[in-house]
Amino acid sequence: MAKTGTTTQGLRAAIERSGYYPTLVAEAVQAAVGGEPVVSYLVHQETTFDANEVRRHVTVLVLTGTRFIVSHTDEQAADATSPSPYATTSTESVKLDRISSVVLSRVVANPESYTPGQLPREVVLTIGWGAVARLDLEPAACGDPNCEADHGYTGSSTADDLSLRVSEAGDGPDSVRETLAFAQALSEATAATTTPR
């Protein structure tokens, strides 16, 4: 389930509607947002299955005039560190000029009959700001098939700070629309920043 909008009150209401520890989540998000007006937000709750356990978590993305805020809350079962179930909430605040990429991947059924404005069946929003990077390395080689020299490694680095998948089947068409709207607002905001890196 995803909810999007543009006001602080709407953000609080979307967190409440998610039903996932709303008081805890709202307090963490509000502390990160502070007094800044909310430009856009997205609340995405996801349920995953881990062996024979059901785990829920919620991600809240907030765009203000100067920052991108991401909050993530997970619930954990009782374990060796805690005799009772517990939740972990983290927030990160990123200046807009630090965002290096906003990638929106769309999965469209029957692309041969696609019409403008048609809703994708799935979207994946990936946002990078340099906190996490993925390195893909492989042995380097030369063009000589008989060469046995060590040419070191070659590879690529990909920013991969946040990736959020939303599907029509799992989350509903409104969630896909809301993710598209948030991605557009974030892309426009990062394009408008002119501060050099």
Side-chain angles (χ1 to χ4, degrees), residues 107-151:
V107 177
V108 177
N110 304 312
E112 69 282 355
S113 59
Y114 177 80
T115 57
Q118 179 180 333
L119 196 64
R121 72 176 191 202
E122 177 180 310
V123 293
V124 178
L125 175 60
T126 304
I127 303 165
W129 58 91
V132 177
R134 183 179 64 238
L135 291 174
D136 294 320
L137 297 174
E138 61 185 40
C142 68
D144 180 358
N146 297 319
C147 180
E148 295 181 10
D150 182 356
H151 294 286

Side-chain angles (χ1 to χ4, degrees), residues 11 15 23-34 58-62 67-74 88-94 129 131 162:
L11 172 58
I15 291 170
T23 305
L24 172 66
V25 173
E27 180 180 52
V29 170
Q30 184 55 49
V33 171
V58 67
T59 302
V60 180
L61 308 180
V62 181
R67 297 178 296 144
F68 166 68
I69 297 162
V70 59
S71 175
H72 189 80
T73 304
D74 280 304
T88 304
T89 299
S90 62
T91 57
E92 184 170 0
S93 176
V94 181
W129 58 91
L162 173 76

Side-chain angles (χ1 to χ4, degrees), residues 27-88:
E27 180 180 52
V29 170
Q30 184 55 49
V33 171
E36 274 195 90
V38 172
V39 173
S40 185
Y41 62 83
L42 180 67
V43 177
H44 182 257
Q45 182 182 337
E46 188 173 8
T47 302
T48 57
F49 301 94
D50 181 16
N52 58 355
E53 290 184 24
V54 176
R55 291 184 186 259
R56 298 180 306 156
H57 53 99
V58 67
T59 302
V60 180
L61 308 180
V62 181
L63 175 63
T64 72
T66 62
R67 297 178 296 144
F68 166 68
I69 297 162
V70 59
S71 175
H72 189 80
T73 304
D74 280 304
E75 64 183 358
Q76 307 292 328
D79 58 22
T81 64
S82 176
S84 59
Y86 60 98
T88 304

Side-chain angles (χ1 to χ4, degrees), residues 94-112:
V94 181
K95 288 183 177 184
L96 287 178
D97 65 357
R98 294 266 308 133
I99 295 179
S100 56
S101 66
V102 178
V103 180
L104 184 66
S105 300
R106 302 168 189 242
V107 177
V108 177
N110 304 312
E112 69 282 355

